[in-house]
Amino acid sequence: MKLFSGNSNRSLAESIGQYLDLPLGEAMVRRFADQEIFVEIKENVRGEDVFIVQSTSYPANDHLMELLIIIDAMRRASARRITAVLPYFGYARQDRKAGGRTPISAKLVANLITEAGADRVMTLDLHAGQIQGFFDIPTDNLFAVPLLARDIKEHQDLEHLMVVSPDVGGVVRARALAKRLDAPLAIVDKRRDRPGESEVMNIIGDVTGRNCILIDDIIDSGGTLCNAADALMKAGALSVSAYITHGVLSGGAVSRITASSLNELVITDSIQPTRAIEDAENIRVVTTANLLGEAIARTASEESVSSLFD
């Protein structure tokens, strides 16, 4: 088995390597003057079981092309099996036709990864589980809920805890967390009555006197999460914290979170944290290295991955 990394999240790849007691393979990923990507694998991978760690985060297109070219280089170097490990799968929010004459970009990206030569894909908390069906190769969708539940037990007051889904679509994820914590569940119902009007937040469930935990897979601009936190506080919650797997946090999201009523935002390192995230007082990062490392080890030894979440 050999472990390689692109440029999107090298620190996570190194942490995975430490868990596996496996040094990162030597690969050169550089750009020509016109930003064309060039890859050279600096060691023999013939007959090896190769794992490539690369999140397709910002800049998504550059990191996606890096992944595709690394996969192609591995295939041409006669690697026995190539597994693309994507802690964050970009384009996952484009998993259906949202309107007329719009693409299903998640399917296109799945096709690209498959055609490049990947034999298997491993990812974390897909935005929609059905994206696994977009691939014609084996796909492991790992879950961050056990990792987040462990952190909640270590850092939160469990006596008055309530898990909250920020929208109806995230109820399944929130229910899984609530079950692990033996906590009640509430839902934020958001709706916009007319175009141009702000969203109206209705809370399904009694959050009075509760320490609320918002759970979701992606936070981008942070607007919806901050609005949900405000609505919960107005409804009588004692405090509101949020646990999100993928901290995209684009634009002014970090400053928005810092100024919000959120007590704490906890994200994973599936996306390389920026300096602004590291400096924010109410944002904390937990690592997924052990989870991904164990899944990689089990894949390499042909053991069950799903039993990680039993």
Side-chain angles (χ1 to χ4, degrees):
M1 174 174 68
K2 290 199 174 184
L3 184 69
F4 289 85
S5 174
N7 291 323
S8 71
N9 201 338
R10 192 171 180 85
S11 61
L12 174 58
E14 289 172 347
S15 297
I16 293 171
Q18 290 174 4
Y19 177 84
L20 295 170
D21 194 21
L22 188 69
L24 282 184
E26 190 177 353
M28 180 180 67
V29 182
R30 64 181 178 86
R31 283 165 172 75
F32 295 124
D34 63 352
Q35 297 305 301
E36 187 176 302
I37 297 167
F38 175 75
V39 170
E40 183 179 359
I41 311 302
K42 292 286 195 176
E43 59 187 79
N44 182 31
V45 295
R46 183 180 296 273
E48 295 282 357
D49 193 3
V50 172
F51 294 83
I52 305 164
V53 180
Q54 177 82 334
S55 286
T56 50
S57 51
Y58 175 85
N61 299 333
D62 286 1
H63 289 152
L64 175 59
M65 279 304 300
E66 275 188 18
L67 174 64
L68 298 176
I69 295 171
I70 294 171
I71 291 171
D72 184 75
M74 293 294 182
R75 180 172 61 87
R76 296 177 188 279
S78 301
R80 177 173 59 85
R81 181 173 65 176
I82 303 167
T83 301
V85 181
L86 291 85
Y88 172 67
F89 181 78
Y91 287 97
R93 286 172 283 184
Q94 299 183 51
D95 63 318
R96 65 193 185 282
K97 284 178 69 72
R101 298 168 298 282
T102 57
I104 304 179
S105 301
K107 170 60 176 169
L108 172 62
V109 172
N111 288 345
L112 290 170
I113 292 172
T114 303
E115 289 300 317
D119 298 296
R120 190 178 197 97
V121 167
M122 183 182 296
T123 187
L124 179 66
D125 270 357
L126 281 171
H127 185 62
Q130 66 264 23
I131 294 174
Q132 294 171 86
F134 292 178
F135 289 92
D136 294 324
I137 54 178
T139 305
D140 293 310
N141 181 28
L142 309 180
F143 303 107
V145 163
L147 175 71
L148 300 180
R150 192 179 311 121
D151 189 89
I152 290 170
K153 290 176 181 177
E154 293 174 356
H155 294 90
Q156 304 294 334
D157 180 6
L158 300 180
E159 186 177 354
H160 304 290
L161 196 71
M162 176 172 270
V163 176
V164 182
S165 174
D167 52 43
V168 176
V171 170
V172 173
R173 182 181 295 102
R175 188 183 293 122
L177 179 62
K179 184 177 180 180
R180 284 183 176 270
L181 298 173
D182 193 23
L185 177 66
I187 304 168
V188 177
D189 175 38
K190 59 182 182 182
R191 62 189 67 183
R192 182 173 286 135
D193 292 334
R194 284 181 292 273
E197 288 192 0
S198 60
E199 292 175 337
V200 178
M201 299 280 189
N202 299 307
I203 310 299
I204 302 173
D206 184 9
V207 299
T208 305
R210 296 283 188 172
N211 293 310
C212 294
I213 301 292
L214 285 160
I215 176 78
D216 209 349
D217 63 323
I218 296 174
I219 177 171
D220 192 346
S221 66
T224 297
L225 199 69
C226 292
N227 290 341
D230 291 340
L232 289 167
M233 293 300 292
K234 289 178 182 177
L238 287 177
S239 67
V240 181
S241 298
Y243 278 74
I244 313 292
T245 306
H246 307 299
V248 177
L249 295 171
S250 58
V254 173
S255 58
R256 193 174 292 115
I257 293 297
T258 303
S260 73
S261 54
L262 279 171
N263 187 48
E264 184 180 42
L265 168 64
V266 180
I267 58 176
T268 77
D269 59 354
S270 64
I271 297 173
Q272 177 76 49
T274 63
R275 177 58 62 86
I277 292 172
E278 293 174 346
D279 292 342
E281 294 182 357
N282 63 340
I283 300 179
R284 185 161 53 86
V285 180
V286 296
T287 185
T288 59
N290 292 1
L291 172 62
L292 291 167
E294 182 62 25
I296 288 171
R298 293 188 181 199
T299 300
S301 59
E302 306 295 344
E303 297 178 36
S304 170
V305 174
S306 60
S307 60
L308 272 171
F309 311 104
D310 291 341

